[in-house]
Amino acid sequence: MSVQRDSQLDMFAKPSPATARARAPSRRPPSQTAGHSDEEMARTLEESGNYRILRKLTARPIATARRPGFSRLGVILDTETTGLNHRSDEIIEIGAVAFTFDDDGGIGDIVGIYGGLQQPSRPIPAEITRLTGITDAMVEGQVIDMRSLSALIEPADLIIAHNAGFDRPFCEAFSTIFAGKAWACSVSEIDWSARGFEGTKLGYLVGQAGYFHDGHRAVDDCHALLEILDRVQGDGESPFAELYRASQRSRIRIFAEHSPFEMKDHLKARGYRWSDGSDGRLKSWWIEVGEDDLGDELSYLRSDIYRWRDADPPTVRLTAFDRFKL
């Protein structure tokens, strides 16, 4: 019994110095032990097929000079607001990253960055603080520097927002510097599913592209979107090239005015949305289609909705200067 008890106690006894030296694990850093860089180790894990690695997204620096060939200026813009209604809620943060690009949609360099907070007229709702991390203390006394922001916006050939239908109305209600600018939406004007993405939220796009970043702060989100827009897979074009090409095409908004009430479910199922007339649009169901799809959509309305071949629903032609407005 004593022999057995002693052997059990030996399991908790301190080893002799010589034994300790023999058993002690190496304390060298993993990279030094393996003789590989972090990136090499990451690639090794990925190539095993058992791991997916997310790399921290690093913001590009501001270029000291504009490279020849990239004559156009784009601005990626993001806002944080106190709510969803541009008529009653307010902007509390604006982030903007200006970059050069060429006529084919090739991205050059970052040439300007602005990020600023603004104190709203009312306390920030708790759910907004949870989402953005922006507190009343952070915005107290803060005012967006319109001079610095204007220096980026006024010369821009194109403003890009990830959900321009949300950001543009807030921006135009906030300042006239956004009036008359061409806008593009990186949610609706890029076919992300064809590029292998299963969602369109920025955080998801970043993650599936193999990165992570500090989300829901305006400038950070702008940097993240720029990297995703400039990501080329295989021999294909970049998402930004697709977006820029889409922004140059006209779209047609069709209003199914005076459509029979009993047809509302059919229209909704086809993708039509209801306008109550409060935003200046006609009070009716409406949809936007490409110019090539106009004929088919009018044929559908005449045959399936109005059931009158001479029906002539109102249409409005939209360009990047008109889309996503108030």
Side-chain angles (χ1 to χ4, degrees), residues 3-4 18 104 200 247 291 294 324:
V3 173
Q4 183 178 7
D104 296 321
T200 60
S247 73
E291 289 185 291
L294 175 59
F324 316 112

Side-chain angles (χ1 to χ4, degrees), residues 158 182-184 189 242-250 319-321:
L158 188 67
W183 284 70
E189 294 184 291
E242 178 185 347
L243 177 64
Y244 181 50
R245 190 175 66 253
S247 73
Q248 295 175 296
R249 293 194 295 261
S250 296
T319 68
F321 294 92

Side-chain angles (χ1 to χ4, degrees), residues 55-61 110 206 210-214 219-220 222-228:
R55 292 165 173 80
K56 186 173 182 178
L57 197 152
T58 303
R60 303 182 188 189
I110 289 179
V206 170
Y211 298 102
F212 67 93
H213 82 300
D214 298 323
V219 170
D220 294 328
C222 291
H223 282 297
L225 181 57
L226 179 65
E227 295 305 317
I228 300 304

Side-chain angles (χ1 to χ4, degrees), residues 68-79:
F70 298 96
S71 60
R72 298 193 177 277
L73 182 69
V75 174
I76 295 177
L77 183 141
D78 185 49
T79 62

